[in-house]
Amino acid sequence: MEKRSDPSAETQASELTYAGYLRLEALLACQTPLSETHDEMLFIVIHQASELWMKLCLHELTAARTAIAEDRLDTAFKMMARVARVQQQLIGSWEILATITPADYSAMRGKLGSSSGFQSHQYRAMEFLMGNKNAAMVRVFADAPPLQAMLQDALEQPSIYDEALRALARAGLPVPEEQLTRDVTKPYEASPGVEACWREIYASPERYWNLYELAEKLVDLEYRFQLWRFGHLKTVERVIGFKRGTGGTAGVPYLARVIDQVFFPELLTVRAVL
């Protein structure tokens, strides 16, 4: 029997416009400056665009984690490579934001209240997905139950590195059992046994080519995440100096401490023993 298409669906598709598909009317109505400062529009657009890029990163990294768990590493590589390109956009956004002068920022800062990038639930979800677990960050969203529930779920899920180590074990490498069965809600701690596994992979890339490429894709993610953090630090330093942040953080000193946090420690330390 011939399958008939739905005429109403075809009509709707033919009437779909660029603005309608992207919901531009609603999207472009989201930029509402609270001050008369000219640069506040830039400040809003940069942060909103960054949140959209982070949404895409979460979409890709979550799918990549699933692909790694299913040993579909080639699929995961495509997604991780895309995230690396998105991270370049995030890094580049700091150069645009840095065109705001201290005087311009001071003129609008009073309107920002206690709002801060520290309160970005998507940033926290990205950190959890990468492995920087911190239950205290979930409690920050106690006044927003849906966001808190989303972050609690992210806290309880294995990180992309947890799944990578499980992939190594399935490939026959001697990943320590305690690393495979650890409490994934806790911060990851470096393991000499895991470093030894990565060392074997780097010593024989032809034998472990997919795992070797997985290692380098993870290093790419960490490298660009750290550049993003550093760009944030230098932009804040340039615009507000050593003043306290709007969210009550210590500002530049807080951001400097964050840079020291590492996601995949053995992939860095193994380079010293190759």
Side-chain angles (χ1 to χ4, degrees):
M1 180 180 294
E2 181 182 355
K3 184 177 181 180
R4 296 183 179 180
S5 60
D6 182 354
S8 62
E10 291 179 0
T11 300
Q12 291 173 5
S14 66
E15 294 176 350
L16 186 64
T17 64
Y18 174 80
Y21 176 65
L22 296 179
R23 301 186 183 183
L24 288 184
E25 184 176 358
L27 180 65
L28 298 179
C30 292
Q31 296 73 46
T32 52
L34 300 177
S35 73
E36 298 299 319
T37 308
H38 174 81
D39 284 4
E40 190 177 355
M41 178 61 76
L42 165 62
F43 189 80
I44 292 171
V45 168
I46 287 290
H47 285 86
Q48 288 183 342
S50 294
E51 290 292 336
L52 287 173
W53 283 128
M54 281 190 279
K55 182 174 183 177
L56 180 57
C57 286
L58 287 168
H59 174 71
E60 298 292 345
L61 288 176
T62 300
R65 178 180 61 188
T66 298
I68 293 169
E70 297 172 353
D71 291 321
R72 295 183 291 111
L73 295 186
D74 287 347
T75 299
F77 295 158
K78 176 183 176 181
M79 296 165 179
M80 295 166 76
R82 179 175 292 163
V83 171
R85 300 299 183 272
V86 174
Q87 287 176 305
Q88 287 300 119
Q89 298 297 317
L90 288 165
I91 293 165
S93 69
W94 295 126
E95 293 191 12
I96 304 171
L97 193 63
T99 63
I100 297 178
T101 68
D104 294 327
Y105 183 71
S106 295
M108 65 173 150
R109 188 179 188 188
K111 298 291 186 179
L112 302 180
S114 61
S115 64
S116 166
F118 183 79
Q119 301 159 345
S120 170
H121 69 282
Q122 290 200 122
Y123 176 79
R124 295 302 169 194
M126 272 190 71
E127 286 217 318
F128 286 1
L129 187 50
M130 294 275 283
N132 184 23
K133 301 292 185 74
N134 185 346
M137 293 297 101
V138 178
R139 295 192 288 273
V140 170
F141 298 88
D143 60 345
L147 300 183
Q148 188 176 47
M150 183 273 273
L151 283 177
Q152 182 63 38
D153 180 65
L155 182 74
E156 295 172 0
Q157 294 294 323
S159 71
I160 196 168
Y161 195 54
D162 287 319
E163 292 296 357
L165 297 185
R166 293 171 185 177
L168 265 59
R170 289 193 298 273
L173 288 154
V175 179
E177 182 64 23
E178 61 269 22
Q179 297 303 102
L180 300 173
T181 59
R182 74 181 195 87
D183 182 353
V184 298
T185 68
K186 305 296 183 184
Y188 180 82
E189 295 183 5
S191 160
V194 169
E195 182 185 282
C197 290
W198 288 121
R199 182 177 184 179
E200 182 174 346
I201 290 167
Y202 273 96
S204 304
E206 297 83 3
R207 179 182 177 187
Y208 298 108
W209 183 259
N210 272 356
L211 297 179
Y212 176 75
E213 189 168 356
L214 175 61
E216 286 301 290
K217 286 290 189 293
L218 289 168
V219 170
D220 282 347
L221 290 177
E222 170 129 8
Y223 171 70
R224 288 178 172 82
F225 209 104
Q226 295 290 32
L227 289 179
W228 182 26
R229 285 170 164 173
F230 185 72
H232 189 189
L233 164 67
K234 300 309 288 186
T235 300
V236 171
E237 186 179 76
R238 174 172 176 162
V239 176
I240 71 170
F242 290 86
K243 294 179 183 177
R244 293 190 66 81
T246 52
T249 69
V252 168
Y254 168 77
L255 296 174
R257 290 196 301 272
V258 168
I259 288 177
D260 292 332
Q261 296 172 348
V262 175
F263 296 112
F264 318 130
E266 296 92 350
L267 286 174
L268 301 180
T269 59
V270 73
R271 283 157 161 71
V273 297
L274 292 176

